[in-house]
């Protein structure tokens, strides 16, 4: 094994750093997830407000059940986006190393 191969393995063992771009993206995703969750919860709790908002559209207004299902879908999507945002903020460890830091 040559010396250059040994230095390549030690460089690969370094975990990726959290850059400012990753942190900014993670925070933006978390804020977007909070907005989705708040909107979804509002649609579940008060479907009449959703129905009133859709009455101005060309199609027929939503029913209570449609508004609540839409709110539930928004909540599920908000939880998924929240997971991605937290994943961007977590410190990743290199493969083959223990996940806990000393």
């Amino acid at each position: 094994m040559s010396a250059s191969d040994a230095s390549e393995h030690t460089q690969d063992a370094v975990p990726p750093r959290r850059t400012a771009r990753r942190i900014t993206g993670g925070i933006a995703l978390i804020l977007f997830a909070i907005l989705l969750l708040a909107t979804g919860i509002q649609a579940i709790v008060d479907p009449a407000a959703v129905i009133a908002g859709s009455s101005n559209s060309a199609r027929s207004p939503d029913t209570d059940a449609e508004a609540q299902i839409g709110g539930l879908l928004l909540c599920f999507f908000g939880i998924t986006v929240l997971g991605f945002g937290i994943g961007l903020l977590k410190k990743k460890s290199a493969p083959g190393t223990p996940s806990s830091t000393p």
Side-chain angles (χ1 to χ4, degrees), residues 2-13:
S2 68
S4 64
D5 289 339
S7 66
E8 289 176 11
H9 290 293
T10 57
Q11 289 176 354
D12 290 340

Side-chain angles (χ1 to χ4, degrees), residues 24-37 81-82 85:
T24 304
I27 291 171
L29 281 177
I30 290 173
L31 292 175
F32 183 61
I34 291 171
L35 177 71
L36 286 171
L37 286 170
V81 171
L82 183 66

Side-chain angles (χ1 to χ4, degrees), residues 57-82:
S57 66
R59 66 179 195 82
S60 64
D62 294 331
T63 63
D64 283 348
E66 288 174 340
Q68 288 176 335
I69 290 171
L72 188 64
L73 290 173
L74 277 175
C75 287
F76 286 144
F77 187 62
I79 291 169
T80 303
V81 171
L82 183 66

Side-chain angles (χ1 to χ4, degrees), residues 14-67:
V14 177
R17 293 180 43 193
R18 287 181 289 190
T19 62
R21 189 173 181 181
R22 266 183 84 176
I23 293 173
T24 304
I27 291 171
L29 281 177
I30 290 173
L31 292 175
F32 183 61
I34 291 171
L35 177 71
L36 286 171
L37 286 170
T39 306
I41 291 171
Q42 181 182 5
I44 292 171
V45 173
D46 188 19
V50 176
I51 294 170
S54 70
S55 64
N56 296 331
S57 66
R59 66 179 195 82
S60 64
D62 294 331
T63 63
D64 283 348
E66 288 174 340

